[in-house]
């Protein structure tokens, strides 16, 4: 049985997690100043430099808690706010390199045309300007992709995994060719459903953590999401028999996380820590 921990608190400090004890980080951080998550959080910081400084703290913590040789995967995109486009993915690359990570890949998550990248400031509707004004200088393309930035801490020692463990996690080659043979992955964004209609505004689709967990961990290992939101990573880790740890700053999302991950009553495999005033107590 896999074990799952949710900490309601600020992931700039992940003191509950021991050094080198996590085998994969998968996350989608709050983009700069575009979504309302209900309370003060890193996404509501309105100075870009201060936002980036906060992310530096989070990813230094991710480096500390990851085991040597393991991956940190970040779903993020540029953000358009007013007249400015913020190149957040590029800045993340420098932040993670400074934290000690090697930059390994940039997977493009391509969304079906017409869906648009709402997370980056309503940028799915930009082409409409040219339709209304079919003249030069009115061109703004719709944004239909996001990044999944892939970083690694040190080098993985393949000798640490037995052939038996490898066989248990064998990846179907037909599926891999269809879904992951190159660095453009086509995935449909999460549509509004019972979890986010009035609750969580920016979930990623389950197939995003599902792919990364299957490609970068073995069963019984631990996946951490510092920005847990509605609990997608917890749900998928549980389905794939991996342990999980998630941080979420907004207590109001806890019932959504519990419902989504299927932990609605007391369960010895599900632990919640709610930090109060910097202190910690168990639920
Ligand atoms: C893009 S959402 C993540 C959504 C998630 N991937 C899902 O599928 O539901 C980012 C989340 O980070 C949370 N957050 C923002 N600042 C935080 C912080 N300092 N510590 C922990 N969580 C934070 C927000 O409340 C929001 O729920």
């Amino acid at each position: 049985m896999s074990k799952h921990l949710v900490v309601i608190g600020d992931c700039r400090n992940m003191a509950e997690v021991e050094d080198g004890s996590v085998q994969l980080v998968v996350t989608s951080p709050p983009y700069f100043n575009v979504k309302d998550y209900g309370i003060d959080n890193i996404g509501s910081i309105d100075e870009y430099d201060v936002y980036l400084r906060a992310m530096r703290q989070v990813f230094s913590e991710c480096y500390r808690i990851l085991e040597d040789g393991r991956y940190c995967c970040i779903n993020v995109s540029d953000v358009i706010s007013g007249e400015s486009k913020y190149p957040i993915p590029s800045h993340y690359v420098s932040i993670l390199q400074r934290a000690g990570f090697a930059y390994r890949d940039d997977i493009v998550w391509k969304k079906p045309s017409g869906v648009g990248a709402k997370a980056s400031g309503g940028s799915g509707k930009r082409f409409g300007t040219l339709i209304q004004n079919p003249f030069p200088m009115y061109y703004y393309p719709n944004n239909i992709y996001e990044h999944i930035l892939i970083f690694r801490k040190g080098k993985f020692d393949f000798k640490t995994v037995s052939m038996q463990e490898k066989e248990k996690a064998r990846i179907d080659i037909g599926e891999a060719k269809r879904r992951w043979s190159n660095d453009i992955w086509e995935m449909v964004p999460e549509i509004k459903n019972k979890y986010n209609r009035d609750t969580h505004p920016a979930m990623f689709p389950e197939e995003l953590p599902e792919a990364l967990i299957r490609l970068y961990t073995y069963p019984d290992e631990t996946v951490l999401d510092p920005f847990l939101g509605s609990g997608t990573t917890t749900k998928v880790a549980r389905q794939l028999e991996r342990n999980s740890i998630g941080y979420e700053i907004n207590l109001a999302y806890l019932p959504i996380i519990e419902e989504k991950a299927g932990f609605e009553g007391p369960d010895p495999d599900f632990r919640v820590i709610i930090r109060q005033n910097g202190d910690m107590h168990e639920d």
Side-chain angles (χ1 to χ4, degrees), residues 22-27 62 65-74 96 101-105 149-156 158 212 215-217 222-224:
V22 165
Q23 284 74 39
L24 174 69
V25 171
V26 174
T27 198
C62 289
I65 53 92
L66 259 185
E67 189 181 299
D68 225 24
R70 296 312 189 117
Y71 285 88
C72 175
C73 308
I74 308 170
L96 273 101
F101 285 101
Y103 177 40
R104 302 288 302 169
D105 271 300
L149 302 174
I150 311 285
F151 300 90
R152 198 176 64 202
K153 173 178 175 177
K155 213 165 168 208
F156 186 64
F158 288 92
L212 297 166
L215 291 168
Y216 292 127
T217 64
T222 299
V223 181
L224 179 137

Side-chain angles (χ1 to χ4, degrees), residues 166-238:
K166 284 185 181 164
E167 280 304 336
K168 267 194 354 208
R170 181 182 276 277
I171 292 165
D172 178 75
I173 284 302
E175 181 188 11
K177 279 186 181 164
R178 186 171 46 79
R179 295 178 66 187
W180 309 310
S181 61
N182 57 46
D183 52 11
I184 300 185
W185 293 3
E186 297 196 26
M187 294 184 287
V188 178
E190 190 61 37
I191 43 161
K192 280 193 188 290
N193 61 24
K194 64 178 175 168
Y195 301 114
N196 77 344
R197 190 171 297 125
D198 298 311
T199 49
H200 202 280
M203 304 184 302
F204 49 34
E206 287 175 22
E207 56 177 315
L208 190 154
E210 178 255 342
L212 297 166
I213 291 171
R214 285 176 55 209
L215 291 168
Y216 292 127
T217 64
Y218 283 89
D220 301 325
E221 292 188 336
T222 299
V223 181
L224 179 137
D225 187 342
F227 298 105
L228 189 60
S230 65
T232 313
T233 303
T234 313
K235 175 183 179 178
V236 175
R238 185 180 192 203

Side-chain angles (χ1 to χ4, degrees), residues 9-12 28-30 37 41-43 200 202-204 225-232 247-250 253 260:
D10 187 339
C11 64
R12 278 174 274 196
S28 178
Y37 295 115
N41 71 94
I42 298 183
H200 202 280
M203 304 184 302
F204 49 34
D225 187 342
F227 298 105
L228 189 60
S230 65
T232 313
Y247 280 76
E248 172 51 54
I249 202 156
N250 191 345
Y253 294 146
K260 193 172 198 176

Side-chain angles (χ1 to χ4, degrees), residues 104-118:
R104 302 288 302 169
D105 271 300
D106 179 3
I107 294 168
V108 170
W109 164 15
K110 180 179 176 296
K111 303 174 186 184
S113 283
V115 172
K118 290 219 189 77

